[in-house]
Amino acid sequence: MPVTVHLLGEPRFVVAGQVFEPQADRRSAMLYFLAHVRGWVPREDLLYLFWPDFEEHRARANLRQLLLAVRDAPYACDLEVERTRVRFTVATDLDAFDDHVTSRGSLAWPGQFLDGYRIKGAPE
């Protein structure tokens, strides 16, 4: 089923018309980040993003656990995981924003990027 990720305004996932607004944590943060990037991301980048102060072996173990936990979510069906890289190829509202800017030359858009999305205890 096609997944759409809304990154402008309050973030959410939409699958076959069903809206999912998961808790703000590393699972949803990783999927939002991957949807925004729109391509392959090296695992090392995710290690640095989510566990910058951890020893590499511990950060890798955490990433493996995170990827396993995310796969169970009904909106993560398009998550692709390889030995050295990860991607989440989905439609986003940023696509519509890009089309709007290209056709109208305007940057006005209702809603800020990931508006109100904060992970408790995480630095900005």
Side-chain angles (χ1 to χ4, degrees):
M1 284 182 256
V3 176
T4 302
V5 179
H6 292 265
L7 299 169
L8 297 172
E10 292 184 27
R12 61 195 177 282
F13 301 92
V14 180
V15 182
Q18 186 174 2
V19 176
F20 296 91
E21 295 176 339
Q23 174 180 333
D25 59 16
R26 283 189 173 116
R27 292 172 297 186
S28 60
M30 183 179 66
L31 290 176
Y32 291 139
F33 174 75
L34 292 170
H36 174 261
V37 170
R38 304 179 190 187
W40 289 104
V41 174
R43 283 182 181 232
E44 287 79 16
D45 291 0
L46 296 174
L47 299 178
Y48 180 74
L49 180 64
F50 290 107
W51 300 281
D53 298 327
F54 281 53
E55 292 181 22
E56 184 177 349
H57 73 279
R58 185 65 193 141
R60 286 189 183 282
N62 288 346
L63 180 58
R64 283 191 301 273
Q65 290 175 349
L66 179 62
L67 290 169
L68 285 173
V70 164
R71 286 184 181 204
D72 292 336
Y75 43 82
C77 55
D78 293 320
L79 180 66
E80 296 176 73
V81 178
E82 292 185 354
R83 190 174 62 79
T84 61
R85 59 190 188 163
V86 180
R87 78 174 167 182
F88 187 47
T89 307
V90 294
T92 70
D93 56 355
L94 294 176
D95 300 328
F97 177 75
D98 290 344
D99 292 344
H100 178 77
V101 170
T102 301
S103 66
R104 298 182 186 214
S106 168
L107 293 177
W109 192 263
Q112 296 178 357
F113 186 74
L114 296 176
D115 191 25
Y117 186 83
R118 301 287 179 270
I119 297 176
K120 186 177 180 179
E124 289 295 318

